[in-house]
Amino acid sequence: MIMDSVTVQQYQQNRYPAFFVDGITELSAGKFAKGIKTFSCNECFFQNKTDAVVPFVIIGEAMEQTYLMTFLTLPEYKGLKTSTVSVSAELFRDVKCGDTLEINAKLLINSRGLTRGTVTASVCGKIVAKADFTVVIPSVTEKFKPKQEN
């Protein structure tokens, strides 16, 4: 594994209980990131039900957190706050207790603090979800705002 969950948290601001990446298995900063998330039966949203499914919002968040690593691993962006502008996502299959989500994120655009990318999530090689994200880095986009005259 290239990065464990502790190392991932050095690059992004998500923390427990809203942190959903166990590790980054492959990475090319500014291009792509591959991450994993194993859903144990101890997750709070399963509430001791082994037949429950992972809420789609949790899957989406794991996908986005992996996507963030495509650009937050660039030295100039490490640890900066991000803000989601838009998400277009689809769920194709349920994810259950014990499943390991394999997440593949690709950065398509990174310009002036605006990023766009695409992400797929699979379990045992079968795609369970896909999403497109638009995320900004406010501290970077702020530098490109026109100056206002008094």
Side-chain angles (χ1 to χ4, degrees):
M1 184 172 307
I2 289 181
M3 290 185 192
D4 61 12
S5 61
V6 173
T7 306
V8 171
Q9 290 178 67
Q10 295 173 9
Y11 290 88
Q12 60 177 270
Q13 296 191 6
N14 294 293
R15 299 292 182 265
Y16 178 84
F19 181 68
F20 299 106
V21 178
D22 292 338
I24 299 297
T25 59
E26 196 174 336
L27 174 72
S28 179
K31 295 180 181 178
F32 71 89
K34 294 182 180 186
I36 57 168
K37 170 60 180 165
T38 299
F39 292 101
S40 102
C41 295
N42 295 328
E43 307 280 357
C44 63
F45 43 82
F46 286 136
Q47 299 179 12
N48 300 321
K49 298 177 186 172
T50 57
D51 62 342
V53 298
V54 177
F56 185 39
V57 69
I58 303 294
I59 296 168
E61 188 62 27
M63 293 169 71
E64 183 169 7
Q65 289 175 19
T66 300
Y67 168 66
L68 293 177
M69 297 303 287
T70 65
F71 60 89
L72 289 180
T73 50
L74 294 167
E76 64 269 27
Y77 297 153
K78 182 179 180 180
L80 295 181
K81 181 178 179 180
T82 60
S83 184
T84 304
V85 175
S86 71
V87 179
S88 174
E90 294 180 83
L91 178 66
F92 304 112
R93 301 176 191 276
D94 289 338
V95 177
K96 298 182 177 185
C97 170
D99 285 345
T100 297
L101 208 57
E102 299 159 357
I103 307 162
N104 293 300
K106 183 178 180 183
L107 181 64
L108 302 175
I109 296 172
N110 177 18
S111 178
R112 298 182 177 198
L114 173 73
T115 72
R116 289 195 181 130
T118 186
V119 183
T120 59
S122 306
V123 173
C124 296
K126 295 182 181 178
I127 294 178
V128 296
K130 68 177 183 176
D132 296 317
F133 293 99
T134 302
V135 174
V136 297
I137 307 168
S139 62
V140 176
T141 58
E142 186 69 28
K143 296 174 186 175
F144 294 96
K145 277 187 172 179
K147 304 258 190 259
Q148 293 185 1
E149 294 182 29
N150 292 332

